[in-house]
Amino acid sequence: MVMTNDTTHETSPRLNFAKAAPKAFKALIGFDAAARDGLDPALVELIQIRASLLNGCAYCLHMHTSDARKAGEDEARLHMVGVWREARNFFTEKEQAALALTESVTLVAQGGVPDDVYAEAARHFDESELARVLALIFTINTWNRIALSTAKVAGEDERAAH
């Protein structure tokens, strides 16, 4: 689906990024795997869900909420990710710090990554973990941009094909 200027949808095939740029795709898969290595899987999904919400990526949002459910994530928490600041009681301080960092990095053009947001994340993650959290935020933002620019359809999961 492609959004046209008049907000109607029309079908238009776009390139398959994995097939058109296999080396870049495989490199991104490797970067993504390295980023998540050793991180709490629930935290990984929360970060990916929050970035996908901010970027408006339905394809990735569907994929990561589905993954979170399969991993046993609480349904109520999934519903609160988009409003986590008003629903802090659903998330640990560490998760809140990661969500705030995710927002700042995802929306970096709107004000950078404030020192207080970075410092709070650094308080909850050691240097190696913080680097991997940042890398994870970088990768989900890249995946969101690939899915959005190639018009991936929410509900389809092409990971098994790769």
Side-chain angles (χ1 to χ4, degrees), residues 19-63:
K19 288 183 180 175
K23 287 182 182 178
F25 187 79
K26 287 180 182 174
L28 186 55
I29 288 172
F31 185 49
D32 186 277
R36 63 181 65 226
D37 186 45
L39 294 177
D40 174 18
L43 181 68
V44 167
E45 296 305 333
L46 292 175
I47 289 168
Q48 293 178 126
I49 289 165
R50 185 64 187 131
S52 297
L53 281 165
L54 291 167
N55 287 321
C57 185
Y59 178 83
C60 293
L61 182 61
H62 183 271
M63 178 185 299

Side-chain angles (χ1 to χ4, degrees), residues 81-92:
V81 174
V83 292
W84 69 269
R85 290 181 196 284
E86 292 78 30
R88 290 179 185 268
N89 57 307
F90 283 86
F91 304 100
T92 67

Side-chain angles (χ1 to χ4, degrees), residues 101-114 141 145:
L101 186 62
T102 300
E103 289 177 359
S104 292
V105 173
T106 300
L107 304 173
V108 70
Q110 296 180 13
V113 178
N141 275 280
R145 282 153 179 76

Side-chain angles (χ1 to χ4, degrees), residues 106-130:
T106 300
L107 304 173
V108 70
Q110 296 180 13
V113 178
D115 289 340
D116 63 326
V117 170
Y118 184 88
E120 183 64 13
R123 191 169 77 78
H124 292 282
F125 298 96
D126 67 29
E127 195 171 84
S128 177
E129 289 173 317
L130 183 56

